[in-house]
Amino acid sequence: MENRVSASGTAARPGPPHLAGLTEPAGRPGNVSEPYWAGLLEAGWAARLRAEDGRTRFRLHYYGQRCEGLITGDELPALVYAVTASGRRILLFDGAAHGYDAMFCDTWDEDRLRTRRADQVYVDADGEDTFEVVIWAGYGIDWEDERDSFVDADDPGRVTLADGRRIPFDTARRAAFDALSITATNARRRATDVVSEELA
């Protein structure tokens, strides 16, 4: 199943491939104004997280540090998982793998990356730790217009990443988003930005 539905419920560009089959349409988070949300939808893809069993409330486990409520990396990139009541972990964001810079600019020592443990539990200002989750990914690059600068000369259907891996062009254009936000809404309907990253 492809994640082709925006938070407004209208047909939209496909979203991040690692979230395919795990999202559904969602309304505007309570901490975002209507005009600003409309602008976000124009510039990107958004949806509510929905586990394969239909659940839409999750705990958030992360590696990194908190800076004014936001999860950020420290000397290594952040990791954020949504965790179901049954303990299943869904990767929401890996700063070493997701987004334009991680794919085309940055490289990391794999042994160091393996030391990251997403074992911290996100608790919001209300003391709550279970949330509905809305993810927004921004896409500012005109991939069709710049296709020739990305694809391999000997294989126009694939691109080469910074770490040397070669992946299909269509996967790259979905995975190389240039901004990401994750908003968590607690049982009191208070929405909090958990992740807000510029990734290009």
Side-chain angles (χ1 to χ4, degrees):
M1 176 193 281
E2 227 176 81
N3 49 351
R4 279 190 173 271
V5 181
S6 76
S8 65
T10 59
R13 64 178 56 87
H18 72 283
L19 296 173
L22 295 168
T23 61
E24 65 182 14
R28 171 179 57 87
N31 64 340
V32 180
S33 71
E34 191 69 54
Y36 188 68
W37 186 242
L40 289 177
L41 294 180
E42 283 291 316
W45 169 94
R48 181 170 73 162
L49 188 66
R50 181 181 185 274
E52 290 157 336
D53 63 4
R55 295 174 191 257
T56 57
R57 293 183 58 77
F58 306 87
R59 296 180 85 194
L60 297 174
H61 291 191
Y62 67 96
Y63 166 85
Q65 58 189 349
R66 296 274 294 271
C67 181
E68 298 182 1
L70 295 171
I71 299 168
T72 64
D74 46 30
E75 73 277 2
L76 293 172
L79 271 174
V80 183
Y81 288 88
V83 183
T84 66
S86 65
R88 179 174 180 247
R89 289 160 60 101
I90 299 169
L91 179 61
L92 298 182
F93 177 61
D94 179 353
H98 297 148
Y100 183 90
D101 282 347
M103 293 175 65
F104 292 103
C105 303
D106 302 332
T107 57
W108 299 91
D109 180 274
E110 290 297 324
D111 289 335
R112 293 194 69 213
L113 290 178
R114 281 190 284 273
T115 67
R116 296 177 299 166
R117 299 285 178 266
D119 52 10
Q120 299 177 81
V121 177
Y122 191 92
V123 178
D124 71 7
D126 291 327
E128 298 200 24
D129 67 359
T130 306
F131 310 96
E132 289 186 359
V133 177
V134 170
I135 304 112
W136 174 82
Y139 292 91
I141 297 169
D142 186 334
W143 284 84
E144 285 304 326
D145 190 51
E146 299 187 33
R147 183 181 187 117
D148 290 344
S149 66
F150 285 105
V151 297
D152 294 344
D154 59 342
D155 186 352
R158 300 183 84 78
V159 300
T160 302
L161 305 184
D163 63 7
R165 287 181 297 132
R166 299 173 75 239
I167 64 172
F169 174 80
D170 286 337
T171 300
R173 70 189 297 178
R174 292 173 58 193
F177 40 89
D178 50 52
L180 180 80
S181 71
I182 299 172
T183 304
T185 300
N186 66 24
R188 305 183 195 190
R189 307 309 303 162
R190 192 191 307 273
T192 302
D193 289 335
V194 173
V195 172
S196 181
E197 292 274 353
E198 294 290 333
L199 301 168

